[in-house]
Amino acid sequence: GTVRLRDDGRSDIAIEHATEGVTGIAVFQDGVLTGNHDFSGTTATATLSVERMKGARWLAAVASDGMGLVSLPLIHDLGEPAIKTAINRALVVGINTYDDPAIPSLNFALRDGGRFAETLASLPDGAASFDAIDYLKDTAATPEAILAGIEKLLAGLAKGDHAVLFFAGHGFRSSDGEFHFGTSSTNLADIDTTALAFSRISALLEGTEARITIVLDACHAGATNNSAFATNDDVVIDLARLKSNITILAASKGREFSQESAELGGGVFTHALAQVLAQDRALHDTNGNGRIEASELYLGV
């Protein structure tokens, strides 16, 4: 097939197939499913016209037949949009100190949050610019403040807009196994009411059509033997049940450590993010299109 972009911002996808077996075309733009189109009864050649999602750079079309078989994706770079209308926002949460003596305080969560916020604020020309970057730190990052910050982050966002959530701190499991993000006032004896259940965050994320990127560093408890401490895997499993508009990048998996370095002045993970997104951006922009795609970010980090 071929993809043509018309002057009115619509993309024409010409689908050519040897038989009349294609019954549906799923269209993704920048990884977000933007339409399922019925192709039942079409001839061997058909044209599908789709509206370009604002800010979209990549378009992918996947064909399926009546037996449930699906094709490899047809992928096309649409080029930079003539007018940049997409909204980009970020919410950063970093927590070093915990009131409960049973919860070890952290050395670099706050510094990592600050470094990540500074990286987003200073991306080079040609990269996506952020309209707002909010940072909740330590005692200010209460469960209510985090939820209010996410509501503010998502307010008014539509398909093509982008929201980034960065979490650095401890993760916990409640008595029923649910993942919670710890705050400074979290008490291990009462995780359910003193930590933030990630299901409450998931409920907010399910209500938006914007693209969501979650950067997660909640695995600092890898050294502890307390079963209440959770890992990145626990929240990834929860979020993976949500829609296709969410990308998750975690510092480590399972019970692995999230490495920190006094020489780097913070976590190795956040340092790597800053290198890929800013300092060494040209090196990691492997296709040279001026953007760091999710695949390039993952490989670079």
Side-chain angles (χ1 to χ4, degrees):
T2 59
V3 176
R4 295 182 298 273
L5 186 63
R6 294 189 291 186
D7 291 340
D8 62 1
R10 299 178 71 86
S11 304
D12 292 333
I13 309 170
I15 306 295
E16 299 179 1
H17 45 94
T19 69
E20 297 182 4
V22 173
T23 58
I25 303 290
V27 176
F28 297 82
Q29 297 186 55
D30 284 356
V32 177
L33 179 63
T34 56
N36 277 305
H37 305 271
D38 184 9
F39 262 58
S40 303
T42 60
T43 59
T45 302
T47 300
L48 170 66
S49 182
V50 297
E51 185 174 355
R52 182 176 183 174
M53 184 176 70
K54 64 177 180 177
R57 181 65 182 260
W58 290 96
L59 183 145
V62 178
S64 59
D65 66 9
M67 298 177 62
L69 298 176
V70 296
S71 70
L72 292 173
L74 163 69
I75 300 175
H76 183 74
D77 184 350
L78 298 171
E80 282 291 343
I83 301 175
K84 296 184 179 181
T85 58
I87 299 171
N88 301 293
R89 298 176 187 156
L91 175 64
V92 176
V93 180
I95 300 176
N96 268 1
T97 57
Y98 298 84
D99 298 335
D100 187 341
I103 304 175
S105 291
L106 301 171
N107 296 320
F108 294 114
L110 275 178
R111 193 173 299 180
D112 285 345
R115 173 175 286 177
F116 186 73
E118 290 170 4
T119 298
L120 295 185
S122 59
L123 294 178
D125 292 340
S129 59
F130 279 76
D131 304 271
I133 302 172
D134 293 329
Y135 187 12
L136 291 174
K137 308 174 185 178
D138 263 358
T139 55
T142 63
E144 294 75 19
I146 294 172
L147 291 173
I150 294 174
E151 290 180 342
K152 177 184 174 183
L153 177 76
L154 301 177
L157 296 190
K159 280 186 178 180
D161 295 326
H162 188 195
V164 177
L165 276 165
F166 179 96
F167 291 99
H170 282 307
F172 303 96
R173 289 190 194 93
S174 60
S175 56
D176 60 1
E178 184 179 4
F179 180 87
H180 288 64
F181 186 73
T183 64
S184 292
S185 60
T186 293
N187 189 303
L188 284 184
D190 189 14
I191 292 174
D192 288 303
T193 58
T194 62
L196 175 57
F198 227 85
S199 60
R200 299 179 69 186
I201 296 176
S202 300
L204 294 177
L205 299 181
E206 283 190 298
T208 182
E209 293 185 321
R211 291 186 296 117
I212 307 294
T213 298
I214 297 177
V215 183
L216 187 65
D217 194 354
C219 59
H220 303 88
T224 73
N225 294 317
N226 192 319
S227 60
F229 287 87
T231 70
N232 289 324
D233 285 3
D234 296 295
V235 67
V236 169
I237 291 170
D238 180 40
L239 290 173
R241 301 188 184 100
L242 301 183
K243 299 179 295 184
S244 67
N245 61 338
I246 294 181
T247 300
I248 307 167
L249 190 69
S252 58
K253 67 178 184 177
R255 304 299 293 186
E256 294 175 342
F257 284 113
S258 177
Q259 298 294 333
E260 296 179 328
S261 166
E263 181 181 354
L264 296 177
V268 175
F269 175 58
T270 305
H271 174 77
L273 286 170
Q275 293 294 111
V276 175
L277 291 173
Q279 289 95 323
D280 295 334
R281 186 182 184 90
L283 174 65
H284 297 287
D285 180 15
T286 56
N287 59 15
N289 72 350
R291 289 196 181 187
I292 298 293
E293 273 84 30
S295 57
E296 293 171 334
L297 181 63
Y298 177 82
L299 290 173
V301 170

